[in-house]
Amino acid sequence: DSGVTQTPKHLITATGQRVTLRCSPRSGDLSVYWYQQSLDQGLQFLIQYYNGEERAKGNILERFSAQQFPDLHSELNLSSLELGDSALYFCASSMKRQGRLSGANVLTFGAGSRLTVL
Amino acid sequence: GDSVTQMEGPVTLSEEAFLTINCTYTATGYPSLFWYVQYPGEGLQLLLKATKADDKGSNKGFEATYRKETTSFHLEKGSVQVSDSAVYFCALSSWTGNQFYFGTGTSLTVIP
C-alpha cells in the first residue's frame, strides 16, 4: 500500500456521461498530480495542485476539471465522456515541504482508477 | 523545457541476461532523476533515484548513475528474473522540485 488512495478502482459508463474520480494523498503530502495512461499515449500529465491551489496544467481537456479540497484530497471530474477517454487515471502525491532544500521530492502513485467508456 | 527520452520497447530477454534501458534528459539547473516500475495491473512504484551528479541509485539489483556530462541515467541489472517483467519509466523532477517529467516507458518481458 503506497498510502495514496484512489476510488473507484473500476468504472464503466456510457458516452456523454460525467464521472468523478477521487484521490486521497499520502499523509502529510501537500501536492497532488493527476495522470492519464492509455495504451497508445503512455503517461500523460493532466494537472497539479499544491495545498489547494492549481500549480500546473498539462494536456488536460476542457471537458475535464479538478480541485483539491482543504483536507487535501482531490477530485478529477470528467464530463461529456467519449470513447477515447477510456484509460487508467492515476493520482500521485508529493511534497511534504516546498522547495529544493527539502530534498528530492518523490512522487508516490495510487493504484489507479480504470475508466471504461462504452 | 525539461524532458526525458528513453529507449523504445518492447524489450524481451532471457532469464539471467544483462539489462540496459537507456534514458537521457534535458533540463535546466540540477534536476533529480528517477526510475519507476509498473508491474501488470498496478500503479507506478519508485524503483530508485539520484539527486545529484555522479550519484548512483540502486534497489533490487537495479542500478543507475546520474551522468551530468552525458545527461543520462541508464538503468542496468546484471541478471534479470521473470519477476522483473514490467514497464519501466525514467523520470526527472525539475530544479525547483515542483514539476515531474516522464519518459514514454519501456516494456520488459523476461522469459524463462
Side-chain angles (χ1 to χ4, degrees):
Chain A
D1 183 2
S2 68
V4 178
T5 303
Q6 288 189 250
T7 57
K9 287 191 183 347
H10 302 277
L11 191 54
I12 301 174
T13 189
T15 54
Q17 294 299 303
R18 182 179 192 273
V19 299
T20 297
L21 308 181
R22 182 188 168 99
C23 170
S24 292
R26 201 173 55 155
S27 177
D29 282 358
L30 301 175
S31 197
V32 168
Y33 301 71
W34 286 98
Y35 289 86
Q36 180 193 57
Q37 186 178 41
S38 54
L39 280 176
D40 58 346
Q41 292 194 358
L43 196 65
Q44 299 289 321
F45 167 65
L46 297 178
I47 198 164
Q48 178 206 354
Y49 283 83
Y50 176 79
N51 205 19
E53 293 186 2
E54 182 184 303
R55 271 300 174 88
K57 255 185 179 178
N59 300 321
I60 188 166
L61 300 171
E62 285 192 12
R63 300 183 286 109
F64 295 0
S65 65
Q67 55 183 324
Q68 186 180 27
F69 294 87
D71 67 352
L72 301 178
H73 91 271
S74 178
E75 293 181 356
L76 178 66
N77 302 296
L78 316 174
S79 62
S80 302
L81 285 168
E82 302 175 0
L83 296 178
D85 298 327
S86 296
L88 264 171
Y89 291 84
F90 286 107
C91 169
S93 71
S94 79
M95 285 178 31
K96 287 184 166 51
R97 295 185 303 279
Q98 188 177 3
R100 186 67 183 168
L101 293 179
S102 63
N105 282 307
V106 174
L107 274 183
T108 302
F109 282 80
S113 292
R114 180 175 293 281
L115 173 65
T116 302
V117 183
L118 300 175
Chain B
D2 294 2
S3 66
V4 173
T5 302
Q6 69 178 96
M7 190 171 100
E8 294 281 335
V11 174
T12 302
L13 294 173
S14 297
E15 207 165 21
E16 299 184 2
F18 184 84
L19 169 71
T20 298
I21 301 177
N22 291 337
C23 172
T24 57
Y25 68 90
T26 302
T28 54
Y30 302 91
S32 295
L33 301 173
F34 309 87
W35 278 99
Y36 281 81
V37 58
Q38 184 179 27
Y39 298 104
E42 298 183 13
L44 281 72
Q45 303 172 27
L46 178 67
L47 180 59
L48 53 84
K49 68 178 182 182
T51 58
K52 61 183 188 296
D54 299 325
D55 266 2
K56 178 185 282 188
S58 61
N59 186 24
K60 299 181 182 179
F62 291 89
E63 293 182 342
T65 301
Y66 187 161
R67 300 283 187 205
K68 192 161 178 64
E69 64 276 13
T70 54
T71 62
S72 66
F73 192 56
H74 305 321
L75 182 68
E76 296 182 337
K77 186 174 186 182
S79 175
V80 293
Q81 306 300 312
V82 172
S83 57
D84 294 326
S85 298
V87 179
Y88 293 81
F89 292 89
C90 185
L92 72 82
S93 72
S94 61
W95 168 237
T96 60
N98 295 340
Q99 299 298 316
F100 290 83
Y101 302 87
F102 283 82
T104 52
T106 302
S107 175
L108 169 67
T109 301
V110 180
I111 54 177

